Amino acid sequence: MRRYADVTELIAEQAADSTEQKALEAVARRVAHELERPVPYRPKFKAELRQELLRAARRRLRPWYGRPAVVGPGLAAVAAAVALAIGLQMARPPAAQGPEQVAEEQPAAPEAPAPPSVTGDEPTSYLVHLPADLPEVRLADERTRLDRQLLAPASTAVVGSVQLMRLTARPGEADFRAMASRLGFRGESRRTDRGWVVADEDRSLTMTTDGTVQYADLSEPDADAAPVDAQAAGQAAQRFLDQAALPVHSQPDISPREDGFMVVYTEHVDGRPVVNARTEIAVNQAGTVVRARAFVPSGVTLHATYTEFVSEQEAVQLAAERGGSFQGAELVWVRSVGDGTVYLQPAWRVLGTNAQGAPVARYVGALVHEDSSGQ
Amino acid sequence: MWSEYREVRYRREGPPTHRPEIVETYSDEQRLVQRAQRDPEAFGELYDMHFDRIYAYIHRKTGDRQVAEDLTADTFLKALAHIQSYRYTGQPFAAWLYRIAANVVIDYYRVRRPTVQLDEGLSAAFGGPEPEEAALALDDRQAVSLAMQALSPDQQDVIIMRFGGDMKLKEIAAALGKTEGAVKALLFRALGTLRRKLSESGVQP
């Protein structure tokens, strides 16, 4: 127990008598004996995670490597880590195991078709299965102008792979209470079927377990207050977000309304918008936030790269199968809620006309489970 | 060359942080961490030094290999993402990593109830005994894992970090964001609970 002298000392200090002291020391020895045993791990996992961390580190710590684009080594770099993390099998056979390593033998993974080469000499990591709880992209058609510019810069052609981000955005009641407290709610919160709600005389705040936050203030506006301009409305929205600890990382789009302004923040990932997770804040003419819809910030935890995905051409065909005529598509991000995880998944925003001839943007998931894609 | 030597030594003697001469001073580790803030290879060395203990900690907390791999990857990705903001506070780098890992585990359980009972998880995480010891060790091991189940998450953290991670009490305090006194109280209560539970299982400590 010399190694655990501090534990022995603690026991000696706090034990009621020598009997207890001896008994607790024996317990400590037994637990130490059990916990000192190494925990087996898969050498393949350790080696691949190291490799992918190094790749990620090279990009992160040496800026001249450049930010990863939607396609290329940047995404491949984190793919294996995600493959391991999500528990999916990768195509390579297990690495050789050193004689002294604490490791378990693993059966070889089933053979998978080789992916197309995306990045020169770099080994390409790829996934061949999607998370089981990845929801299907189901967004309604969006009315648009046929000649409308694509939303994303689309400077990077999607050639070899697309990326999925797995987020952790499932808030708990503690998160809700903290937010309510920051926004000055004093009443008791209560559980609802989908989350939590708190209300005072004129205001209410709800949060659902998928991370959606909605706020409303129905109090009468101050009739004597001088009307605010767009800039002041933007500042009021920003103050609200700061107070609620809902960070946004994009510039707001502020548009006038009959009763004030609507401030909209569209999150972007790799320069492409998340089309269904816009933060919307209505500010009245007195500069008070009267309504807000936002999402609990989600730390991006894992990325995955998929080389088997719906191509732009296939997306156009899939869109047309639902009626109408479509010409081209751009890749955007969609926030979607799985059983236990919130995802950011890529989707094609396909431009064309619907069956009635109206110009629309139709959304087609870029990552589709094999059985639902018909492949 | 150095890297090969380090790897051989690592395999033979265990993680460097478990070796007394390195536990005594963190100056080498600090230099390595500073280098890791700009040198990917140095980050790889940190990973080599700490993978075992972080993986073991997470595996013992979750009891599921897939989840342990998931959360271990998550922990090191977060560490990489925040390595630039790491500042030496007198505690070893492992304390910082453990803190990330502990938060990752908390986040995991916040969104997803454990599907593996802790006793199963702890049993699985205790590793495999030598064949000749198996029959005898199984009972003891099960008894210890069952007893561990009776501990609060904080008590489990302290026990696992102290005995499984070879962390000092002050370092555990830093990792868990608690005072050293609080960690001592947790440890003492945990040992008391373990004593009672082991006794109930008919195991003489």
Side-chain angles (χ1 to χ4, degrees):
Chain A
M1 287 292 284
R2 201 179 123 204
R3 184 174 169 187
Y4 302 111
D6 54 348
V7 179
T8 311
E9 193 179 319
L10 172 69
I11 292 171
E13 281 173 8
Q14 302 199 12
D17 51 40
S18 62
T19 308
E20 185 184 26
Q21 181 180 343
K22 284 178 184 169
L24 291 178
E25 283 178 0
V27 168
R29 272 196 299 273
R30 178 175 292 278
V31 172
H33 176 72
E34 294 301 333
L35 289 176
E36 282 169 3
R37 291 174 188 274
V39 174
Y41 61 85
R42 290 191 304 128
K44 182 186 173 193
F45 164 71
K46 183 179 179 182
E48 289 187 342
L49 178 57
R50 186 186 200 282
Q51 192 178 21
E52 300 311 321
L53 281 167
L54 281 183
R55 286 186 193 151
R58 287 188 191 107
R59 286 192 315 278
R60 182 178 290 275
L61 303 178
R62 294 175 183 167
W64 55 86
Y65 273 76
R67 283 193 67 198
V70 169
V71 177
L75 298 182
V78 289
V82 175
L84 294 161
I86 301 177
L88 302 178
Q89 289 182 316
M90 301 185 69
R92 282 174 286 184
Q97 183 176 321
E100 292 182 43
Q101 284 178 292
V102 178
E104 297 170 282
E105 283 292 346
Q106 295 297 309
E111 287 296 321
S117 175
V118 180
T119 59
D121 296 336
E122 287 280 313
T124 303
S125 300
Y126 64 99
L127 299 175
V128 293
H129 300 293
L130 293 170
D133 68 337
L134 183 69
E136 187 181 344
V137 172
R138 287 184 180 174
L139 295 179
D141 286 357
E142 176 185 312
R143 296 299 291 265
T144 183
R145 287 169 49 202
L146 195 56
D147 59 349
R148 183 173 172 177
Q149 290 291 312
L150 296 180
L151 278 173
S155 57
T156 310
V158 180
V159 179
S161 62
V162 294
Q163 184 180 15
L164 166 74
M165 286 183 175
R166 197 163 78 102
L167 309 179
T168 52
R170 291 287 201 166
E173 187 166 4
D175 300 301
F176 175 69
R177 285 184 176 173
M179 181 178 290
S181 174
R182 286 193 295 268
L183 290 173
F185 285 91
R186 295 286 172 262
E188 282 292 310
S189 62
R190 62 184 171 82
R191 192 81 165 84
T192 66
D193 289 344
R194 298 177 57 209
W196 307 271
V197 62
V198 64
D200 57 21
E201 284 185 2
D202 299 310
R203 302 185 309 153
S204 66
L205 177 71
T206 64
M207 182 189 285
T208 52
T209 52
D210 68 358
T212 306
V213 174
Q214 299 204 59
Y215 169 87
D217 182 348
L218 301 177
S219 59
E220 286 294 322
D222 183 356
D224 297 331
V228 297
D229 59 11
Q231 187 181 3
Q235 290 168 347
Q238 189 61 56
R239 277 197 301 276
F240 173 84
L241 292 171
D242 290 345
Q243 194 177 353
L246 289 166
V248 291
H249 306 287
S250 58
Q251 290 299 312
D253 179 12
I254 305 174
S255 54
R257 293 158 47 94
E258 191 177 327
D259 54 353
F261 294 90
M262 178 62 80
V263 185
V264 178
Y265 299 83
T266 303
E267 206 66 55
H268 285 70
V269 177
D270 288 337
R272 299 171 187 274
V274 182
V275 295
N276 63 339
R278 295 185 175 97
T279 296
E280 299 173 347
I281 299 177
V283 180
N284 67 15
Q285 289 177 334
T288 302
V289 171
V290 293
R291 202 171 63 257
R293 184 170 187 271
F295 299 91
V296 173
S298 310
V300 175
T301 58
L302 296 167
H303 303 244
T305 299
Y306 292 84
T307 52
E308 294 181 1
F309 65 99
V310 175
S311 68
E312 179 181 357
Q313 191 177 9
E314 290 168 332
V316 169
Q317 289 171 358
L318 287 169
E321 286 174 9
R322 283 150 56 183
S325 171
F326 292 84
Q327 289 79 45
E330 63 182 341
L331 204 65
V332 295
W333 293 90
V334 172
R335 185 180 191 274
S336 51
V337 181
D339 293 338
T341 308
V342 177
Y343 295 94
L344 277 185
Q345 64 169 306
W348 290 105
R349 184 172 182 271
V350 190
L351 293 169
T353 52
N354 63 15
Q356 289 73 42
V360 293
R362 181 166 291 172
Y363 292 94
V364 174
L367 301 175
V368 183
H369 287 284
E370 281 192 8
D371 53 353
S372 57
S373 67
Q375 292 173 354
Chain B
M1 184 69 179
W2 162 245
S3 146
E4 286 174 13
Y5 165 73
R6 195 190 58 241
E7 182 63 24
V8 169
R9 191 179 181 203
Y10 177 84
R11 287 183 190 173
R12 194 174 59 240
E13 303 176 18
T17 46
H18 284 209
R19 294 199 294 268
E21 71 272 25
I22 297 183
V23 171
E24 290 302 318
T25 172
Y26 301 126
S27 58
D28 288 348
E29 186 182 67
Q30 282 315 301
R31 278 193 283 276
L32 180 60
V33 174
Q34 285 173 356
R35 205 151 55 79
Q37 290 177 327
R38 57 185 189 280
D39 179 3
E41 295 301 324
F43 188 85
E45 290 186 38
L46 283 174
Y47 171 80
D48 292 340
M49 288 171 68
H50 297 290
F51 171 87
D52 291 36
R53 53 166 48 175
I54 294 300
Y55 179 83
Y57 165 76
I58 294 173
H59 195 284
R60 284 179 169 127
K61 291 284 285 185
T62 62
D64 183 282
R65 192 181 63 200
Q66 293 287 0
V67 174
E69 291 184 355
D70 187 339
L71 301 189
T72 301
D74 203 359
T75 298
F76 280 101
L77 285 167
K78 283 182 190 298
L80 174 62
H82 295 97
I83 187 77
Q84 301 286 2
S85 62
Y86 172 81
R87 296 290 177 271
Y88 181 57
T89 58
Q91 301 303 326
F93 185 69
W96 187 71
L97 274 181
Y98 267 122
R99 186 162 196 159
I100 296 174
N103 287 330
V104 164
V105 171
I106 289 168
D107 284 348
Y108 170 75
Y109 281 123
R110 196 179 67 181
V111 302
R112 185 171 180 170
R113 294 292 99 193
T115 54
V116 177
Q117 291 300 311
L118 192 55
D119 56 340
E120 295 171 30
L122 288 165
S123 296
F126 273 100
E130 295 300 321
E132 62 270 22
E133 299 171 353
L136 189 61
L138 190 61
D139 286 343
D140 284 1
R141 194 160 303 166
Q142 283 178 334
V144 172
S145 71
L146 283 169
M148 288 283 287
Q149 191 188 170
L151 303 180
S152 70
D154 278 349
Q155 289 174 340
Q156 286 176 7
D157 281 346
V158 172
I159 292 285
I160 294 172
M161 287 184 192
R162 182 64 195 91
F163 297 112
D166 205 26
M167 299 274 285
K168 300 299 177 197
L169 298 180
K170 188 187 287 185
E171 298 164 359
I172 295 171
L176 297 179
K178 297 182 184 299
T179 64
E180 191 176 351
V183 169
K184 282 182 176 177
L186 284 168
L187 177 59
F188 189 75
R189 281 200 297 271
L191 289 172
T193 304
L194 290 171
R195 178 194 178 195
R196 194 175 66 251
K197 290 292 173 186
L198 286 173
S199 177
E200 287 171 7
S201 304
V203 174
Q204 293 301 317

